[in-house]
Amino acid sequence: MENGGGDVPENANDHCPGTQSEAAGKADACAGCPNQQICATAPKGPDPDLLAIIERMNTVKHKILVLSGKGGVGKSTFSAQLSFALAEMDHQVGLLDIDICGPSIPKMLGLEGQDIHQNDAVIWRGPRKNGLIKQFLKDVDWGEIDYLVVDAPPGTSDEHISIVQYLQIAGIDGAIIVTTPQQVSLIDVKKEINFCKKVGVPILGVVENMSGLRQAFSDMKFVKPSEAGETDATEWALNYIKEKAPELLSVVACSEVFDSSKGGAEKMCQEMEVPFLGKVPMDPQLCKAAEEGRSCFTDQKCSASAPALKSIIKKLVKTK
């Protein structure tokens, strides 16, 4: 394959001019290339704002990017709980949500309703997103903090190229990639891993989220199915258990929600030679904590997920 300047994606067309060329995404050779729109809208050449970003980021010790190949895998929940955990370890933490079109971090931090910006749907093209991300980095007074956790949208898009370009000059520690166990998610995560390798972002590790359902037996609901439909049998079932087998109330029920028979994220990490950080089970109490905008570590309610998250976060801090 004959290509132009540097920064040429592996899946580029022949005669690719390079992602930093003024002709990127616009040249005849770019027609039909899967990277065409991203290249056409990505910043080109020397950026006068980079020095301001470097100065602002100099007060941030560690910069961590949280990625996922697909939406709906719990990436933002993980980002929020990672930030809560680091803060409870006496670190100063900042959390930046660059999912411009669908931010969820305000809800997960209990900040919903704060009059920071309009809450209507945002529909922006690449250049405006890139400009806002740049503004987040250079104009926000992050102060002297230990960690900046950046929650990115799923996939690999304009936002990813921009945040990587801006953070690499300021010294990014690396990326955490969140997935679920099933193959449909792992296929996309492999693309995310390859993206990180191409652009030179270290992979801190992969987290397998929603790794089976874990729920205290006493928190479960029960129904009686019939031809007429379902009737709630929770009160009857719990009373029966209390009378006949009370020891079951201290048992945690486990169920495989997604098919992990092919080895899940752990096997994929072995094959792609990237660190595997651990598994976090699907925990209804963790979902509730996220909905209420609170940490899952402040009480004993998230007994299934909190220990798993703590173990993963300790690995990250130890690595740093």
Side-chain angles (χ1 to χ4, degrees):
M1 179 182 287
E2 297 181 8
N3 289 311
D7 300 316
V8 176
E10 289 183 4
N11 59 345
N13 291 352
D14 289 344
H15 310 294
C16 171
T19 59
Q20 291 302 307
S21 167
E22 289 297 326
K26 303 170 186 175
D28 291 341
C30 301
C33 177
N35 309 298
Q36 184 176 12
Q37 184 171 352
I38 294 177
C39 290
T41 56
K44 308 291 191 305
D47 189 333
D49 290 324
L50 294 185
L51 183 59
I53 292 175
I54 291 172
E55 288 185 11
R56 186 67 80 185
M57 290 291 103
N58 276 342
T59 63
V60 180
K61 292 179 183 177
H62 301 291
K63 305 151 193 88
I64 297 175
L65 193 57
V66 183
L67 305 172
S68 69
K70 296 183 74 67
V73 300
K75 169 184 54 61
S76 293
T77 298
F78 178 82
S79 297
Q81 296 303 325
L82 169 62
S83 301
F84 280 131
L86 291 171
E88 289 173 18
M89 294 166 73
D90 292 327
H91 295 296
Q92 295 297 312
V93 185
L95 177 55
L96 172 58
D97 189 345
I98 62 166
D99 191 351
I100 310 299
C101 296
S104 52
I105 289 299
K107 172 74 172 175
M108 294 185 178
L109 293 186
L111 298 174
E112 196 176 36
Q114 299 289 330
D115 191 17
I116 298 173
H117 57 76
Q118 65 180 29
N119 56 11
D120 298 331
V122 179
I123 304 174
W124 283 358
R125 295 181 68 87
R128 290 194 67 190
K129 292 180 182 178
N130 297 337
L132 185 58
I133 291 170
K134 185 189 296 183
Q135 193 174 359
F136 282 148
L137 294 176
K138 74 182 181 70
D139 293 340
V140 173
D141 185 6
W142 293 103
E144 298 276 348
I145 61 175
D146 299 305
Y147 289 90
L148 177 62
V149 178
V150 181
D151 183 38
T156 52
S157 59
D158 289 2
E159 293 96 316
H160 299 80
I161 292 177
S162 295
I163 196 68
V164 166
Q165 180 187 14
Y166 300 146
L167 287 183
Q168 276 183 327
I169 61 166
I172 184 172
D173 288 71
I176 301 169
I177 303 175
V178 181
T179 183
T180 48
Q182 78 272 39
Q183 289 297 305
V184 69
S185 179
L186 295 175
I187 289 170
D188 287 332
V189 165
K190 290 177 182 178
K191 297 175 185 176
E192 203 79 24
I193 291 172
N194 287 330
F195 168 80
C196 290
K197 290 180 177 180
K198 283 179 188 177
V199 298
V201 173
I203 298 172
L204 301 177
V206 175
V207 174
E208 183 178 284
N209 198 25
M210 305 185 194
S211 184
L213 174 66
R214 303 288 187 273
Q215 187 171 11
F217 210 78
S218 57
D219 291 338
M220 298 182 73
K221 293 188 179 299
F222 301 85
V223 295
K224 283 184 178 180
S226 67
E227 292 183 2
E230 294 180 344
T231 56
D232 190 308
T234 303
E235 185 178 357
W236 170 83
L238 290 178
N239 286 336
Y240 185 86
I241 292 168
K242 287 177 184 176
E243 181 183 346
K244 303 293 184 180
E247 60 275 10
L248 286 179
L249 295 176
S250 61
V251 170
V252 175
C254 305
S255 175
E256 291 296 323
V257 178
F258 300 114
D259 181 16
S260 59
S261 60
K262 295 186 178 180
E266 188 169 9
K267 183 179 180 183
M268 179 205 67
C269 287
Q270 292 172 354
E271 294 171 349
M272 300 195 75
E273 298 182 339
V274 296
F276 178 66
L277 293 174
K279 302 179 180 182
V280 180
M282 186 181 292
D283 180 358
Q285 290 296 331
L286 175 60
C287 299
K288 188 175 181 181
E291 284 290 307
E292 295 174 356
R294 58 180 174 82
S295 168
C296 72
F297 306 107
T298 54
D299 52 38
Q300 302 300 314
K301 293 180 180 178
C302 300
S303 57
S305 56
L309 284 165
K310 277 188 177 179
S311 175
I312 289 169
I313 293 162
K314 283 180 180 178
K315 286 181 185 178
L316 283 170
V317 173
K318 185 178 180 181
T319 301
K320 302 319 306 165

